[in-house]
Amino acid sequence: DWSSDVCSSDLSELPYLNDEIILKLKSLCMDPLRNKMIFQVILYLIMFKPPVLNSCLNLIKLVKQDALNVNDENLSNQCDNYLSKYSK
């Protein structure tokens, strides 16, 4: 979708991504209206920016923890899907 493409391209243009920048995506992950889009962005980062893989996985773990705390099973399951596929 258009908004995730724009967000992905914006992030891909950044010359340097670190934990601090990646963790700023957490609030968007927790937003039910935006989490699908931001998970597409995270997938893009995992696939095309390998140096941020661990940062993205750490973000997903934090989001999963918060999802469990607020009993959001859908978000927790989405996190599990990414973690099972991309964790080493």
Side-chain angles (χ1 to χ4, degrees):
D1 110 335
W2 180 82
S3 57
S4 66
D5 291 343
V6 170
C7 191
S8 292
S9 66
D10 287 345
L11 280 173
S12 69
E13 295 293 321
L14 293 174
Y16 179 72
L17 291 171
N18 61 20
D19 288 346
E20 183 180 346
I21 294 169
I22 299 294
L23 289 176
K24 290 185 185 286
L25 301 175
K26 183 178 174 196
S27 63
L28 294 172
C29 291
M30 297 304 296
D31 183 341
L33 299 175
R34 293 180 181 89
N35 68 13
K36 184 174 182 175
M37 175 199 63
I38 206 67
F39 270 90
Q40 289 175 344
V41 170
I42 292 169
L43 177 60
Y44 172 86
L45 292 173
I46 287 171
M47 294 176 70
F48 297 107
K49 296 276 192 173
V52 299
L53 172 67
N54 288 331
S55 297
C56 289
L57 293 175
N58 289 337
L59 168 65
I60 294 170
K61 290 173 187 174
L62 291 172
V63 170
K64 179 180 169 54
Q65 187 88 0
D66 285 357
L68 291 172
N69 289 339
V70 297
N71 296 320
D72 187 339
E73 285 186 39
N74 291 330
L75 183 56
S76 177
N77 290 338
Q78 189 172 5
C79 291
D80 284 338
N81 290 338
Y82 276 72
L83 291 172
S84 66
K85 188 167 184 174
Y86 297 104
S87 288
K88 297 176 182 175

